[in-house]
Amino acid sequence: QVQLQESGPGLVKPSETLSLTCAVSGYSISSGYYWGWIRQPPGKGLEWIGSIYHSGSTYYNPSLKSRVTISVDTSKNQFSLKLSSVTAADTAVYYCAREVGGIGSSWRYDYWGQGTLVTVSS
Amino acid sequence: QSVLTQPPSASGTPGQRVTISCSGSSSNIGSNTVNWYQQLPGTAPKLLIYSNNQRPSGVPDRFSGSKSGTSASLAISGLQSEDEADYYCAAWDDSLIKGVFGGGTKLTVL
């Protein structure tokens, strides 16, 4: 059974960088699939942030691209998210998930982490 | 404002059939397949329907999806109290070059 678990600080100061890690168990990232990040502001809908392939190839939401970096560590079977210059608008539950299909028609997420709330506040 | 448009709420009584709509455009639903996610209160989203009308293993056949042109629908038959959740449609958008979600529909079982 594929399992994903997010970890990282729950509180980040404005203008600083949000950093989260997603540990994957039950499946080797090196075996394939894309791996993505999605966020959900409190009481609001879902927003796709970006995704990474095990080779390191990435693609990002254009509206966040200038601030987002997603990386992968296959030796630890985990991938990470960095979001720079955060503001209160970045307060959200951040989910990591396994992505099927990559860019295009087959794009979907079949396994999700439980999510972690990150609050941006001084 | 979400790229995919869903009604904010829907409701039904146990045993009823309920449908939730999702409206998009030629660059998303019109060009790519639609997926539906169910989010129970306080939990992560769960893939409910993929590729317009396919159910992942373990999803009851009470849930079904369809697509026509630039719109899609999720139907839930034999409504049960445990179906009370938020439902999101999603698709890739070729013009925006990103994955897009609907704003979500909160389903209440009366």
Side-chain angles (χ1 to χ4, degrees), chain A residues 33-115:
Chain A
Y33 287 102
Y34 280 85
W35 303 86
W37 290 96
I38 304 98
R39 69 180 182 179
Q40 184 174 34
K44 296 187 178 181
L46 301 164
E47 180 181 32
W48 174 68
I49 298 172
S51 305
I52 190 165
Y53 196 54
H54 66 85
S55 63
S57 173
T58 56
Y59 62 113
Y60 302 132
N61 183 330
S63 63
L64 297 170
K65 187 175 183 178
S66 63
R67 298 194 293 130
V68 172
T69 301
I70 297 176
S71 58
V72 65
D73 187 339
T74 54
S75 67
K76 295 182 179 180
N77 213 39
Q78 64 185 34
F79 61 105
S80 300
L81 168 71
K82 290 188 185 298
L83 181 66
S84 64
S85 304
V86 298
T87 69
D90 295 309
T91 294
V93 174
Y94 285 76
Y95 296 101
C96 60
R98 189 176 80 169
E99 180 177 310
V100 178
I103 292 177
S105 193
S106 299
W107 175 81
R108 63 184 182 267
Y109 292 96
D110 60 354
Y111 289 97
W112 294 65
Q114 65 184 27

Coordinates of all heavy atoms in Angstrom, one line a residue, chain A residues 33-115:
Chain A
Y33 N 6.2 7.3 -12.0 CA 5.2 8.2 -11.6 C 5.7 9.6 -11.4 O 6.9 9.8 -11.1 CB 4.4 7.7 -10.4 CG 3.5 6.6 -10.6 CD1 3.9 5.3 -10.3 CD2 2.3 6.8 -11.2 CE1 3.0 4.2 -10.5 CE2 1.4 5.7 -11.5 CZ 1.8 4.4 -11.1 OH 0.9 3.4 -11.3
Y34 N 4.9 10.5 -11.5 CA 5.1 11.9 -11.0 C 4.7 12.0 -9.6 O 3.9 11.2 -9.1 CB 4.4 12.9 -11.9 CG 5.0 13.2 -13.2 CD1 4.8 12.4 -14.3 CD2 5.9 14.3 -13.4 CE1 5.4 12.7 -15.6 CE2 6.5 14.6 -14.6 CZ 6.2 13.8 -15.7 OH 6.9 14.1 -16.9
W35 N 5.2 13.0 -8.9 CA 4.9 13.2 -7.5 C 4.6 14.7 -7.3 O 5.4 15.6 -7.7 CB 6.0 12.8 -6.6 CG 6.3 11.3 -6.9 CD1 7.1 10.8 -7.9 CD2 5.7 10.2 -6.2 NE1 7.1 9.4 -7.8 CE2 6.3 9.0 -6.9 CE3 4.8 10.0 -5.2 CZ2 5.9 7.7 -6.4 CZ3 4.5 8.7 -4.8 CH2 5.0 7.6 -5.4
G36 N 3.4 15.0 -6.7 CA 3.0 16.4 -6.7 C 2.6 17.0 -5.4 O 2.5 16.3 -4.4
W37 N 2.4 18.3 -5.4 CA 2.0 19.1 -4.3 C 0.7 19.8 -4.6 O 0.6 20.4 -5.7 CB 3.1 20.1 -3.8 CG 4.3 19.4 -3.2 CD1 5.4 19.1 -3.8 CD2 4.4 19.0 -1.8 NE1 6.3 18.5 -2.9 CE2 5.7 18.5 -1.7 CE3 3.6 19.1 -0.7 CZ2 6.2 18.0 -0.5 CZ3 4.1 18.6 0.5 CH2 5.4 18.1 0.6
I38 N -0.2 19.8 -3.7 CA -1.5 20.5 -3.9 C -1.8 21.2 -2.5 O -1.5 20.6 -1.5 CB -2.7 19.5 -4.2 CG1 -2.4 18.6 -5.4 CG2 -4.0 20.2 -4.3 CD1 -1.8 17.3 -5.1
R39 N -2.4 22.4 -2.6 CA -2.7 23.0 -1.3 C -4.2 23.4 -1.3 O -4.9 23.5 -2.3 CB -1.8 24.2 -1.1 CG -2.1 25.4 -2.0 CD -1.1 26.5 -1.7 NE -1.3 27.7 -2.6 CZ -0.6 28.8 -2.5 NH1 0.3 29.0 -1.6 NH2 -0.9 29.9 -3.3
Q40 N -4.6 23.7 0.0 CA -6.0 24.0 0.2 C -6.1 25.1 1.3 O -6.0 24.7 2.5 CB -6.8 22.8 0.5 CG -8.3 23.0 0.7 CD -9.1 21.7 0.9 OE1 -8.6 20.8 1.5 NE2 -10.3 21.7 0.4
P41 N -6.3 26.3 1.0 CA -6.5 27.3 2.1 C -7.7 27.0 3.0 O -8.7 26.3 2.5 CB -6.8 28.6 1.3 CG -6.2 28.4 -0.1 CD -6.4 26.9 -0.3
P42 N -7.7 27.3 4.2 CA -8.8 27.0 5.1 C -10.1 27.4 4.6 O -10.4 28.5 4.2 CB -8.4 27.8 6.4 CG -7.0 27.9 6.3 CD -6.6 28.1 4.9
G43 N -11.0 26.4 4.5 CA -12.4 26.6 4.0 C -12.5 26.9 2.5 O -13.6 27.2 2.1
K44 N -11.4 26.7 1.8 CA -11.5 26.9 0.3 C -11.2 25.7 -0.5 O -11.0 24.6 0.1 CB -10.5 28.1 0.0 CG -10.9 29.4 0.6 CD -10.0 30.5 0.1 CE -10.5 31.8 0.8 NZ -9.6 33.0 0.3
G45 N -11.1 25.9 -1.8 CA -10.8 24.7 -2.7 C -9.4 24.4 -2.9 O -8.5 24.9 -2.2
L46 N -9.1 23.4 -3.8 CA -7.8 22.9 -4.0 C -7.1 23.7 -5.1 O -7.7 24.1 -6.1 CB -8.0 21.4 -4.5 CG -8.7 20.5 -3.5 CD1 -9.1 19.2 -4.2 CD2 -7.7 20.2 -2.3
E47 N -5.8 23.8 -4.9 CA -4.9 24.5 -5.9 C -3.7 23.6 -6.2 O -3.0 23.2 -5.3 CB -4.5 25.9 -5.4 CG -3.6 26.6 -6.5 CD -3.1 27.9 -6.0 OE1 -3.0 28.1 -4.8 OE2 -3.0 28.8 -6.8
W48 N -3.5 23.3 -7.5 CA -2.3 22.5 -7.8 C -1.0 23.4 -7.8 O -1.0 24.5 -8.3 CB -2.5 22.0 -9.3 CG -1.3 21.3 -9.8 CD1 -0.7 20.1 -9.4 CD2 -0.4 21.7 -10.9 NE1 0.4 19.8 -10.1 CE2 0.6 20.8 -11.0 CE3 -0.5 22.8 -11.7 CZ2 1.6 20.9 -12.0 CZ3 0.5 23.0 -12.7 CH2 1.5 22.0 -12.8
I49 N 0.0 22.9 -7.2 CA 1.3 23.7 -7.0 C 2.3 23.3 -8.1 O 2.9 24.1 -8.8 CB 1.9 23.5 -5.6 CG1 0.9 24.0 -4.6 CG2 3.2 24.2 -5.5 CD1 1.3 23.7 -3.1
G50 N 2.5 22.0 -8.2 CA 3.5 21.5 -9.1 C 3.8 20.0 -8.9 O 3.4 19.4 -8.0
S51 N 4.7 19.5 -9.8 CA 5.0 18.1 -9.8 C 6.4 17.8 -10.2 O 7.0 18.6 -10.9 CB 4.0 17.3 -10.7 OG 2.7 17.6 -10.4
I52 N 6.9 16.6 -9.8 CA 8.3 16.2 -10.2 C 8.3 14.7 -10.6 O 7.6 13.9 -10.0 CB 9.3 16.5 -9.1 CG1 10.7 16.3 -9.5 CG2 8.9 15.7 -7.8 CD1 11.7 16.9 -8.5
Y53 N 9.1 14.4 -11.6 CA 9.3 13.0 -12.0 C 10.5 12.5 -11.2 O 11.4 13.3 -10.7 CB 9.5 12.9 -13.5 CG 9.4 11.5 -14.1 CD1 8.2 10.8 -13.8 CD2 10.4 11.0 -14.9 CE1 8.1 9.5 -14.4 CE2 10.2 9.8 -15.4 CZ 9.1 9.0 -15.2 OH 8.9 7.8 -15.7
H54 N 10.7 11.2 -11.2 CA 11.8 10.7 -10.4 C 13.2 11.1 -11.0 O 14.2 11.1 -10.3 CB 11.7 9.1 -10.3 CG 11.9 8.4 -11.6 ND1 13.1 8.1 -12.1 CD2 11.0 8.0 -12.5 CE1 13.0 7.5 -13.3 NE2 11.7 7.4 -13.5
S55 N 13.2 11.4 -12.2 CA 14.4 11.9 -12.9 C 14.8 13.3 -12.5 O 15.9 13.7 -12.8 CB 14.2 11.8 -14.4 OG 13.2 12.7 -14.8
G56 N 13.8 14.0 -11.9 CA 14.0 15.4 -11.5 C 13.3 16.4 -12.4 O 13.4 17.6 -12.1
S57 N 12.7 15.9 -13.4 CA 12.0 16.8 -14.3 C 10.8 17.4 -13.6 O 10.0 16.7 -12.9 CB 11.5 16.0 -15.5 OG 10.7 16.8 -16.3
T58 N 10.6 18.7 -13.7 CA 9.5 19.4 -12.9 C 8.6 20.2 -13.8 O 9.0 20.6 -14.9 CB 10.1 20.3 -11.9 OG1 11.0 21.3 -12.5 CG2 10.9 19.6 -10.8
Y59 N 7.4 20.4 -13.4 CA 6.5 21.4 -14.0 C 5.7 22.0 -12.9 O 5.3 21.4 -11.9 CB 5.7 20.9 -15.1 CG 4.8 19.8 -14.8 CD1 3.4 20.0 -14.9 CD2 5.2 18.5 -14.5 CE1 2.5 19.0 -14.7 CE2 4.3 17.5 -14.3 CZ 2.9 17.7 -14.4 OH 2.0 16.7 -14.1
Y60 N 5.5 23.4 -13.0 CA 4.9 24.1 -11.9 C 3.6 24.9 -12.4 O 3.5 25.2 -13.6 CB 5.9 25.1 -11.4 CG 7.2 24.5 -10.8 CD1 8.4 25.1 -11.2 CD2 7.1 23.5 -9.9 CE1 9.6 24.5 -10.7 CE2 8.3 22.9 -9.4 CZ 9.5 23.5 -9.8 OH 10.7 22.9 -9.3
N61 N 2.8 25.2 -11.4 CA 1.7 26.2 -11.7 C 2.3 27.5 -12.1 O 3.1 28.1 -11.3 CB 0.8 26.3 -10.4 CG -0.4 27.2 -10.6 OD1 -0.4 28.1 -11.4 ND2 -1.4 26.8 -9.8
P62 N 1.9 28.0 -13.3 CA 2.5 29.3 -13.7 C 2.3 30.4 -12.7 O 3.2 31.3 -12.6 CB 1.8 29.6 -15.0 CG 1.4 28.2 -15.5 CD 1.0 27.4 -14.3
S63 N 1.3 30.4 -12.0 CA 1.0 31.5 -11.1 C 1.9 31.4 -9.8 O 2.0 32.4 -9.1 CB -0.5 31.5 -10.6 OG -0.8 30.4 -9.9
L64 N 2.6 30.3 -9.6 CA 3.4 30.2 -8.5 C 4.9 29.9 -8.9 O 5.8 29.9 -8.0 CB 3.0 29.0 -7.6 CG 1.6 29.1 -6.9 CD1 1.2 27.8 -6.3 CD2 1.6 30.2 -5.9
K65 N 5.1 29.7 -10.2 CA 6.4 29.2 -10.7 C 7.6 30.0 -10.2 O 8.6 29.4 -9.9 CB 6.3 29.3 -12.2 CG 7.6 28.6 -12.9 CD 7.4 28.6 -14.4 CE 8.6 27.8 -15.0 NZ 8.4 27.7 -16.5
S66 N 7.5 31.3 -10.1 CA 8.6 32.2 -9.7 C 9.0 31.9 -8.2 O 10.2 32.3 -7.8 CB 8.3 33.6 -9.9 OG 7.2 34.0 -9.0
R67 N 8.2 31.3 -7.4 CA 8.5 31.1 -6.0 C 8.6 29.6 -5.6 O 9.0 29.4 -4.5 CB 7.4 31.7 -5.2 CG 7.2 33.2 -5.3 CD 6.3 33.8 -4.2 NE 4.9 33.4 -4.3 CZ 4.2 32.9 -3.3 NH1 4.8 32.7 -2.1 NH2 3.0 32.6 -3.4
V68 N 8.3 28.7 -6.5 CA 8.3 27.3 -6.2 C 9.5 26.5 -6.7 O 10.0 26.7 -7.8 CB 7.0 26.7 -6.7 CG1 7.0 25.1 -6.5 CG2 5.8 27.2 -6.1
T69 N 10.0 25.6 -5.8 CA 11.0 24.7 -6.2 C 10.6 23.3 -5.6 O 10.4 23.2 -4.4 CB 12.4 25.0 -5.7 OG1 12.8 26.3 -6.2 CG2 13.4 24.0 -6.1
I70 N 10.5 22.3 -6.5 CA 10.2 20.9 -6.0 C 11.4 20.1 -6.4 O 12.0 20.2 -7.5 CB 9.0 20.4 -6.7 CG1 7.7 21.2 -6.3 CG2 8.8 18.9 -6.3 CD1 6.4 20.8 -6.9
S71 N 11.9 19.3 -5.4 CA 13.1 18.5 -5.6 C 12.8 17.0 -5.2 O 11.8 16.8 -4.4 CB 14.3 19.0 -4.9 OG 14.0 19.1 -3.5
V72 N 13.6 16.1 -5.6 CA 13.4 14.7 -5.2 C 14.7 14.1 -4.7 O 15.8 14.5 -5.2 CB 12.9 13.9 -6.4 CG1 13.9 13.8 -7.5 CG2 12.4 12.5 -6.0
D73 N 14.6 13.3 -3.7 CA 15.7 12.5 -3.1 C 15.4 11.0 -3.2 O 14.7 10.5 -2.3 CB 16.0 13.0 -1.7 CG 17.3 12.4 -1.2 OD1 17.8 11.3 -1.7 OD2 17.9 12.9 -0.2
T74 N 15.8 10.4 -4.3 CA 15.4 9.0 -4.4 C 16.1 8.1 -3.4 O 15.5 7.0 -3.1 CB 15.8 8.5 -5.9 OG1 17.2 8.8 -6.1 CG2 14.9 9.2 -6.9
S75 N 17.2 8.5 -2.9 CA 17.9 7.7 -1.9 C 17.1 7.6 -0.6 O 17.2 6.6 0.1 CB 19.3 8.2 -1.6 OG 19.3 9.5 -1.0
K76 N 16.4 8.6 -0.3 CA 15.5 8.7 0.9 C 14.1 8.4 0.6 O 13.2 8.4 1.5 CB 15.7 10.0 1.6 CG 17.0 10.3 2.2 CD 17.1 11.7 2.9 CE 18.4 11.9 3.5 NZ 18.5 13.3 4.2
N77 N 13.8 8.2 -0.7 CA 12.4 8.0 -1.2 C 11.5 9.1 -0.7 O 10.4 8.8 -0.1 CB 11.9 6.6 -0.7 CG 11.0 6.0 -1.7 OD1 11.2 6.1 -3.0 ND2 9.9 5.4 -1.3
Q78 N 11.9 10.3 -1.0 CA 11.1 11.5 -0.6 C 11.3 12.6 -1.6 O 12.2 12.6 -2.4 CB 11.5 11.9 0.8 CG 12.9 12.5 0.9 CD 13.3 12.8 2.4 OE1 12.8 12.2 3.3 NE2 14.1 13.8 2.5
F79 N 10.3 13.5 -1.6 CA 10.4 14.7 -2.4 C 10.0 15.9 -1.6 O 9.4 15.8 -0.5 CB 9.6 14.6 -3.7 CG 8.1 14.4 -3.5 CD1 7.2 15.4 -3.7 CD2 7.6 13.1 -3.2 CE1 5.8 15.2 -3.6 CE2 6.2 12.9 -3.0 CZ 5.4 14.0 -3.2
S80 N 10.4 17.1 -2.0 CA 10.3 18.3 -1.2 C 9.7 19.5 -1.9 O 9.8 19.5 -3.1 CB 11.6 18.7 -0.6 OG 12.2 17.6 0.2
L81 N 9.1 20.4 -1.2 CA 8.6 21.6 -1.7 C 9.2 22.8 -1.0 O 9.3 22.8 0.2 CB 7.1 21.6 -1.5 CG 6.4 23.0 -1.7 CD1 6.3 23.3 -3.2 CD2 4.9 23.0 -1.1
K82 N 9.6 23.8 -1.7 CA 10.1 25.1 -1.2 C 9.2 26.2 -1.9 O 9.2 26.2 -3.1 CB 11.5 25.3 -1.4 CG 12.4 24.4 -0.5 CD 13.9 24.8 -0.6 CE 14.8 23.8 0.1 NZ 14.5 23.7 1.6
L83 N 8.7 27.0 -1.1 CA 7.9 28.2 -1.5 C 8.4 29.4 -0.9 O 8.4 29.6 0.3 CB 6.4 28.0 -1.2 CG 5.4 29.1 -1.7 CD1 5.4 29.1 -3.2 CD2 4.0 28.9 -1.1
S84 N 9.0 30.3 -1.7 CA 9.7 31.5 -1.1 C 8.8 32.7 -1.0 O 7.7 32.7 -1.6 CB 10.9 31.8 -2.0 OG 10.4 32.2 -3.3
S85 N 9.3 33.6 -0.3 CA 8.6 34.9 -0.1 C 7.1 34.8 0.2 O 6.2 35.3 -0.4 CB 8.7 35.8 -1.4 OG 10.1 35.9 -1.7
V86 N 6.8 34.0 1.3 CA 5.4 33.7 1.6 C 4.7 34.8 2.2 O 5.3 35.7 2.8 CB 5.3 32.4 2.5 CG1 5.9 31.2 1.8 CG2 6.0 32.7 3.8
T87 N 3.4 34.9 2.0 CA 2.5 35.8 2.6 C 1.4 35.1 3.3 O 1.3 33.9 3.2 CB 1.9 36.8 1.6 OG1 1.0 36.1 0.7 CG2 3.1 37.5 0.8
A88 N 0.5 35.8 3.9 CA -0.7 35.2 4.6 C -1.5 34.4 3.6 O -2.2 33.4 4.0 CB -1.5 36.3 5.3
A89 N -1.5 34.8 2.3 CA -2.3 34.1 1.3 C -1.8 32.7 1.0 O -2.4 31.9 0.4 CB -2.2 34.9 0.0
D90 N -0.6 32.4 1.5 CA 0.0 31.0 1.4 C -0.4 30.1 2.5 O 0.0 28.9 2.5 CB 1.5 31.1 1.2 CG 2.0 31.8 0.0 OD1 1.5 31.5 -1.1 OD2 2.8 32.8 0.1
T91 N -1.1 30.6 3.5 CA -1.6 29.8 4.6 C -2.6 28.7 4.0 O -3.6 29.1 3.4 CB -2.3 30.6 5.6 OG1 -1.4 31.5 6.3 CG2 -3.0 29.7 6.7
A92 N -2.3 27.5 4.3 CA -3.1 26.4 3.7 C -2.7 25.1 4.2 O -1.7 24.9 4.9 CB -2.9 26.4 2.1
V93 N -3.5 24.1 4.0 CA -3.1 22.7 4.2 C -2.4 22.3 2.9 O -3.0 22.4 1.8 CB -4.3 21.8 4.5 CG1 -3.9 20.3 4.5 CG2 -5.0 22.2 5.7
Y94 N -1.2 21.7 3.1 CA -0.4 21.3 1.9 C -0.4 19.8 1.9 O -0.1 19.1 2.8 CB 1.0 21.8 2.0 CG 1.1 23.3 1.7 CD1 0.7 24.3 2.7 CD2 1.6 23.8 0.5 CE1 0.8 25.6 2.4 CE2 1.7 25.1 0.2 CZ 1.2 26.0 1.2 OH 1.3 27.4 0.9
Y95 N -0.8 19.3 0.7 CA -0.9 17.8 0.5 C 0.2 17.4 -0.5 O 0.4 18.1 -1.5 CB -2.2 17.4 -0.1 CG -3.4 17.6 0.8 CD1 -4.3 18.7 0.6 CD2 -3.8 16.7 1.8 CE1 -5.4 18.9 1.3 CE2 -4.9 16.9 2.5 CZ -5.7 18.0 2.3 OH -6.8 18.2 3.1
C96 N 0.8 16.3 -0.3 CA 1.6 15.6 -1.3 C 0.8 14.4 -1.8 O 0.0 13.9 -1.1 CB 3.0 15.2 -0.8 SG 3.0 14.0 0.6
A97 N 1.1 14.1 -3.1 CA 0.3 13.0 -3.7 C 1.1 12.4 -4.8 O 1.9 13.0 -5.4 CB -1.0 13.6 -4.2
R98 N 0.7 11.1 -5.2 CA 1.2 10.5 -6.3 C 0.4 10.8 -7.6 O -0.8 10.7 -7.6 CB 1.3 9.0 -6.2 CG 2.1 8.3 -7.3 CD 2.2 6.8 -7.1 NE 1.0 6.1 -7.5 CZ 0.9 4.7 -7.6 NH1 2.0 4.0 -7.3 NH2 -0.2 4.2 -7.9
E99 N 1.1 11.3 -8.6 CA 0.4 11.8 -9.8 C 0.5 10.7 -10.9 O 1.6 10.2 -11.2 CB 1.0 13.1 -10.3 CG 0.4 13.7 -11.5 CD 1.1 15.0 -11.8 OE1 1.2 15.9 -10.9 OE2 1.5 15.2 -13.0
V100 N -0.7 10.5 -11.5 CA -0.7 9.6 -12.6 C -0.8 10.4 -13.9 O -1.6 11.3 -14.0 CB -2.0 8.6 -12.5 CG1 -2.0 7.7 -13.8 CG2 -1.9 7.8 -11.3
G101 N 0.0 10.1 -14.9 CA -0.1 10.7 -16.2 C 0.7 11.9 -16.5 O 1.0 12.1 -17.7
G102 N 1.1 12.7 -15.5 CA 1.8 13.9 -15.9 C 1.0 14.9 -16.6 O -0.2 14.8 -16.6
I103 N 1.7 15.7 -17.4 CA 1.0 16.8 -18.1 C 0.0 16.2 -19.1 O 0.3 15.3 -19.8 CB 2.0 17.7 -18.8 CG1 2.8 18.5 -17.9 CG2 1.2 18.6 -19.8 CD1 3.9 19.3 -18.5
G104 N -1.2 16.7 -19.1 CA -2.2 16.3 -20.1 C -3.4 15.5 -19.6 O -3.7 15.6 -18.5
S105 N -3.9 14.8 -20.5 CA -5.2 14.2 -20.3 C -5.3 13.2 -19.2 O -6.4 13.1 -18.5 CB -5.7 13.5 -21.6 OG -7.1 13.2 -21.5
S106 N -4.2 12.5 -18.8 CA -4.3 11.5 -17.8 C -4.0 12.1 -16.4 O -4.0 11.3 -15.4 CB -3.4 10.4 -18.1 OG -3.7 9.8 -19.3
W107 N -3.8 13.4 -16.3 CA -3.4 14.0 -15.0 C -4.4 13.7 -13.9 O -5.6 14.1 -14.0 CB -3.2 15.5 -15.2 CG -2.9 16.3 -14.0 CD1 -1.7 16.5 -13.4 CD2 -3.8 17.1 -13.3 NE1 -1.8 17.3 -12.3 CE2 -3.1 17.7 -12.2 CE3 -5.2 17.3 -13.3 CZ2 -3.7 18.5 -11.3 CZ3 -5.8 18.2 -12.4 CH2 -5.0 18.8 -11.4
R108 N -3.9 13.1 -12.8 CA -4.8 12.8 -11.7 C -3.9 12.4 -10.5 O -2.7 12.0 -10.7 CB -5.9 11.8 -12.0 CG -5.3 10.4 -12.3 CD -6.4 9.4 -12.7 NE -6.0 8.1 -12.9 CZ -5.7 7.6 -14.1 NH1 -5.7 8.4 -15.2 NH2 -5.3 6.4 -14.3
Y109 N -4.5 12.3 -9.3 CA -3.7 11.9 -8.1 C -4.4 10.7 -7.5 O -5.6 10.8 -7.1 CB -3.6 13.1 -7.1 CG -2.8 14.2 -7.6 CD1 -3.3 15.3 -8.3 CD2 -1.4 14.1 -7.5 CE1 -2.5 16.3 -8.8 CE2 -0.5 15.1 -8.0 CZ -1.1 16.1 -8.7 OH -0.3 17.1 -9.2
D110 N -3.7 9.6 -7.3 CA -4.4 8.4 -6.8 C -4.1 8.1 -5.4 O -4.8 7.4 -4.7 CB -4.1 7.2 -7.7 CG -2.6 6.8 -7.8 OD1 -1.8 7.6 -7.3 OD2 -2.3 5.8 -8.4
Y111 N -2.9 8.6 -4.8 CA -2.6 8.4 -3.4 C -2.2 9.8 -2.9 O -1.5 10.5 -3.5 CB -1.5 7.4 -3.2 CG -1.8 6.0 -3.5 CD1 -1.6 5.4 -4.7 CD2 -2.5 5.2 -2.5 CE1 -1.9 4.1 -5.0 CE2 -2.8 3.9 -2.8 CZ -2.6 3.4 -4.0 OH -2.9 2.1 -4.3
W112 N -2.8 10.1 -1.7 CA -2.6 11.4 -1.1 C -2.0 11.2 0.4 O -2.3 10.2 1.0 CB -3.9 12.1 -0.9 CG -4.5 12.6 -2.2 CD1 -5.0 11.7 -3.2 CD2 -4.8 13.9 -2.6 NE1 -5.6 12.5 -4.2 CE2 -5.4 13.8 -3.9 CE3 -4.5 15.2 -2.1 CZ2 -5.8 15.0 -4.6 CZ3 -4.9 16.3 -2.8 CH2 -5.5 16.2 -4.1
G113 N -1.2 12.2 0.8 CA -0.8 12.3 2.2 C -2.0 12.8 3.0 O -3.0 13.3 2.4
Q114 N -1.9 12.9 4.3 CA -3.0 13.4 5.1 C -3.0 14.9 5.2 O -4.1 15.4 5.6 CB -2.8 12.8 6.6 CG -1.5 13.4 7.3 CD -1.3 12.8 8.6 OE1 -1.8 11.7 8.9 NE2 -0.6 13.5 9.5
G115 N -2.0 15.5 4.7 CA -1.9 17.0 4.7 C -1.3 17.6 5.9 O -1.4 17.0 7.0

